[in-house]
């Protein structure tokens, strides 16, 4: 493998740094064909400005690494726990599609107050994380804020589009962070605070859904299919 692709990239960088509108072909034409060192042929003052290779991206470590069932409460659809109510086989980061990694609990701190599934007569389409204080709510994965609105049922609600037909919903937020619909977010970005907004009187908690499918022309996020985040396979947190 020769060095040509690297060199082309370098030439492009030089073009940008020099503020020259010439094409990379034009730039390469004046440079010797045999390049053995990546910075060969680049003046020192430019070589110093060339960025180092970026570090391997890692999933941010702001999310809880373990999860407890809320004590005292009756928790529907509770997953398996040890005697201290700590969930066994808890995966802090899961795969929801080939290129989508999501935090299982996108909260600064909280306990599980409801699992996914039938709750009395209705399907609970997400999981609930409870806290007594208005802790930060994070974007569970990289994506774009698709919807940010108030609804009587979900209160202050955000839906993030993660691509690959994967979405996440965050409901009952006390308030939103300064982000707007259409804003790009990365996993771990603060999108709001845990709250209890709804037309009904409810305890403070985050209602969190992982959704998949195609956004509805009319129904929007309600055309999507909810998934149980605890059923999704664990993802490694590197890269
Ligand atoms: Zn809920």
């Amino acid at each position: 493998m020769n060095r040509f692709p690297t060199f082309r990239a370098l030439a492009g960088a030089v073009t940008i740094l020099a503020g020259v509108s010439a094409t990379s072909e034009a730039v390469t034409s004046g440079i010797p064909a045999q390049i053995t060192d990546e910075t060969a042929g680049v003046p020192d003052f430019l070589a110093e400005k060339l960025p180092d290779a970026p570090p391997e991206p890692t999933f941010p470590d702001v999310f809880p690494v373990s999860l407890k069932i809320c004590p005292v409460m009756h928790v529907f659809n509770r997953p398996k726990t040890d005697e201290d109510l700590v969930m066994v086989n808890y995966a802090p980061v899961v795969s929801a599609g080939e290129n989508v990694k999501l935090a299982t609990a996108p909260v600064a701190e909280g306990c599980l107050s409801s699992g996914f599934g039938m709750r009395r007569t209705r399907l609970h389409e997400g999981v609930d994380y409870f806290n007594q204080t208005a802790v930060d709510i994070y974007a569970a994965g990289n994506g774009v804020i698709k919807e940010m609105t108030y609804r009587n049922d979900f209160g202050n609600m955000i839906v993030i589009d993660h691509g690959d037909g994967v979405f996440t919903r965050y409901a009952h937020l006390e308030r939103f962070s300064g982000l707007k619909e259409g804003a790009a977010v990365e996993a771990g970005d603060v999108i709001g605070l845990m709250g209890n907004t709804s037309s009904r009187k409810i305890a403070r908690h985050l209602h969190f859904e992982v959704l998949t499918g195609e956004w509805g022309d009319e129904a929007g996020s309600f055309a999507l299919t909810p998934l149980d985040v605890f059923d999704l396979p664990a993802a490694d947190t590197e890269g």
Side-chain angles (χ1 to χ4, degrees):
M1 189 68 197
N2 67 38
R3 290 281 193 168
F4 190 64
T6 306
F7 175 64
R8 280 289 291 270
L10 195 63
V14 172
T15 305
I16 291 159
L17 285 169
V20 173
S21 63
T23 65
S24 55
E25 280 73 16
V27 173
T28 55
S29 64
I31 302 189
Q34 292 298 317
I35 302 293
T36 52
D37 181 86
E38 282 183 16
T39 55
V42 176
D44 284 348
F45 76 96
L46 281 178
E48 280 170 21
K49 289 181 183 168
L50 292 171
D52 294 334
E56 281 294 302
T58 55
F59 209 81
D61 59 3
V62 295
F63 303 103
V65 294
S66 70
L67 187 63
K68 254 185 151 170
I69 305 288
C70 299
V72 188
M73 289 185 188
H74 175 77
V75 176
F76 284 93
N77 304 308
R78 52 192 300 154
K80 252 181 112 174
T81 68
D82 65 16
E83 65 273 22
D84 297 320
L85 298 180
V86 177
M87 208 177 138
V88 294
N89 302 322
Y90 176 71
V93 184
V94 292
S95 284
E98 210 174 318
N99 301 304
V100 180
K101 286 183 187 180
L102 299 176
T104 306
V107 297
E109 218 183 334
C111 56
L112 183 76
S113 55
S114 187
F116 179 100
M118 287 306 291
R119 201 163 65 177
R120 300 202 172 91
T121 56
R122 284 186 60 202
L123 177 66
H124 185 230
E125 300 191 338
V127 294
D128 291 347
Y129 297 111
F130 166 84
N131 202 312
Q132 294 195 345
T133 57
V135 293
D136 286 340
I137 302 300
Y138 305 121
N142 300 339
V144 171
I145 296 182
K146 177 82 175 169
E147 190 176 9
M148 181 180 267
T149 189
Y150 176 87
R151 295 172 50 97
N152 283 336
D153 50 0
F154 283 129
N156 290 321
M157 178 193 87
I158 291 179
V159 178
I160 295 178
D161 181 354
H162 301 283
D164 282 359
V166 177
F167 300 80
T168 47
R169 184 197 312 281
Y170 312 75
H172 310 305
L173 303 189
E174 179 162 302
R175 59 182 171 83
F176 303 128
S177 67
L179 297 165
K180 298 275 184 283
E181 275 184 5
V185 289
E186 291 187 357
D189 286 354
V190 176
I191 56 170
L193 297 178
M194 187 185 284
N196 62 348
T197 55
S198 166
S199 62
R200 297 173 297 127
K201 191 168 163 47
I202 56 169
R204 183 186 302 277
H205 71 284
L206 172 72
H207 170 87
F208 174 59
E209 294 179 7
V210 178
L211 300 159
T212 185
E214 209 167 304
W215 192 262
D217 287 340
E218 308 255 310
S221 64
F222 298 97
L224 303 167
T225 304
L227 302 176
D228 184 350
V229 69
F230 296 142
D231 276 350
L232 296 174
D236 71 50
T237 53
E238 302 295 318

